[in-house]
Amino acid sequence: MGRLVILFLVNVGAGAVLRSLWPGLLRGWRLGVFAFGALLSLAVWYFPLLAGHQAELPVGNVALRVFSAGWSIAAIIVVLLGTPIALLSRWVERGARARALAASAKETPAPATAPASGPVLSRRSLLTNTGRAVPVLAVGTSSVGMASGVSGFTVREVEVRLPNLPKAMDGFRIGQITDVHVGNFIDTGYLHDAVRAMNEAGVDLQVMTGDLIDDLDQLDGTMEALSACKARHGMLAVLGNHEHWRGLRAIRRAYADVEARGGPVKLLVDASHDFEHEGQRVRVVGVDYPMSGRSHRVKAERMAQSAEVAFRGASPDEVMLCLTHHPDFFPLAAERGARLTLAGHTHGGQVAFLGVPAFWFAFKYMLGRYRQGDHQLYVSGGTGHWLPFRLGVPTEVTVLTLRAA
């Protein structure tokens, strides 16, 4: 409900900003179109609260959800870009009126109706034209981002050089998927394609680092897609926040059923899995999502608990890897000897310019590679999304190749 209140305020704010930047825009039928679009977008967001999260809209389910997401993104852009321009325009107008009043108070005043001087007029024209470009830019950016969001994943090849890596592990390949979010915008066919891409890349191990599914009606198909894994050492998975929110018991049971049937998928919840590769023992540690519900207050405490349990019995003779949904677990994994930690959760911010995430401040580890001594972290930009909007951060299936440094 809180998200809907925010979206309602965003739409009201967008209307106010547009009226300020372009007074004649929202009049007559155009005001009606804006009001209808805002109400329709809010109704689409509100529908799951009435009918249940997994309920589909009676008509045009996917199209209306895409429209609603695109409209909301455009409204947010209008508010973020248009508000400072509108405030600056008012400041310039106020300054012009103050100068006119000062001039009228002199002995030989300039006519009160005299046009503004050159610099003031230039600033007014620049701000007016810039303000009128805001809605065009908002709609264009939203459209491009939505198109990028639904265009499918890329296969990203990453070479990871690790000091003192045993010869048997030089060339070991890991396929990573994360944040797939099977649900409103991502179906099980998309997940099948992601697993197939890792199969075709010939990876030795596949991993899934959380936020697998949002729509439990698609759980059977989701597990079927994961079970298509053909990697030599199978697929190891961990839980994300969306598993905790959407139906943890059902999802854990589905993973357990696949494993019981001899499938290639194993879920690690504060646990580890050992295997041998070319005579070298390898341990993969998988930790649970650290927050209880949506509370961040317990994050550090739960991460410490997970580290204590999951890394128990680790041997220095092993090559140890760590899987975590939340990338903030990286220092704990590095302290306990994990050579490489793989994470997701951030979606890379979903927006980046020249490779730099626009919301870099939201997470300490946002996107790509990080180092702590001889230990490394890779944070994927995500294989799917719960909101189909991407700029500069494409969805990815990651193929990581270990090399001796």
Side-chain angles (χ1 to χ4, degrees), residues 47-283:
F47 180 77
L49 295 181
L50 294 177
H53 174 75
Q54 299 170 29
E56 292 189 358
L57 293 161
V59 293
N61 180 64
V62 174
L64 285 176
R65 290 183 185 276
V66 170
F67 163 79
S68 180
W71 179 281
S72 299
I73 291 167
I76 291 170
I77 294 173
V78 167
V79 171
L80 293 178
L81 295 184
T83 299
I85 297 173
L87 293 175
L88 185 58
S89 295
R90 291 190 177 186
W91 180 75
V92 170
E93 289 290 342
R94 190 178 298 116
R97 286 196 297 269
R99 283 188 291 271
L101 289 173
S104 66
K106 295 180 181 179
E107 287 185 333
T108 57
T113 58
S117 60
V120 174
L121 185 59
S122 297
R123 283 195 294 269
R124 284 180 178 174
S125 298
L126 177 61
L127 288 171
T128 297
N129 293 331
T130 303
R132 292 186 175 185
V134 166
V136 177
L137 179 62
V139 172
T141 301
S142 178
S143 299
V144 170
M146 294 289 288
S148 176
V150 300
S151 64
F153 58 81
T154 60
V155 176
R156 180 178 175 83
E157 294 272 357
V158 178
E159 190 172 90
V160 181
R161 294 195 169 273
L162 299 172
N164 304 314
L165 185 70
K167 184 177 180 181
M169 296 297 291
D170 194 345
F172 186 84
R173 285 163 66 80
I174 305 169
Q176 181 191 11
I177 57 174
T178 188
D179 300 275
V180 182
H181 294 284
V182 173
N184 291 330
F185 301 105
I186 300 291
D187 60 17
T188 57
Y190 183 95
L191 179 57
H192 265 289
D193 291 342
V195 174
R196 186 181 302 112
M198 293 188 290
N199 289 337
E200 292 175 352
V203 299
D204 300 293
L205 173 68
Q206 296 183 16
V207 302
M208 210 298 298
T209 50
D211 278 7
L212 172 65
I213 185 169
D214 289 336
D215 179 6
L216 295 189
D217 285 344
Q218 301 185 59
L219 186 54
D220 290 343
T222 295
M223 289 299 154
E224 181 183 342
L226 294 186
S227 298
C229 164
K230 298 185 184 303
R232 176 178 179 180
H233 301 294
M235 177 185 290
L236 300 176
V238 295
L239 299 170
N241 48 309
H242 280 245
E243 284 90 343
H244 280 265
W245 297 345
R246 304 307 188 198
L248 181 61
R249 182 176 299 178
I251 293 170
R252 292 194 64 168
R253 185 168 56 246
Y255 272 116
D257 288 345
V258 171
E259 187 176 357
R261 293 194 300 267
V265 184
K266 182 179 181 63
L267 177 66
L268 301 178
V269 184
D270 291 342
S272 64
H273 173 71
D274 296 346
F275 59 86
E276 190 172 284
H277 181 79
E278 304 294 342
Q280 172 64 50
R281 190 179 179 192
V282 181
R283 170 172 294 206

Side-chain angles (χ1 to χ4, degrees), residues 368-389:
R369 284 192 277 193
Y370 300 86
R371 289 177 172 81
Q372 181 173 310
D374 291 339
H375 311 277
Q376 292 192 39
L377 164 70
Y378 182 80
V379 183
S380 168
T383 308
H385 43 65
W386 57 266
L387 182 67
F389 181 83

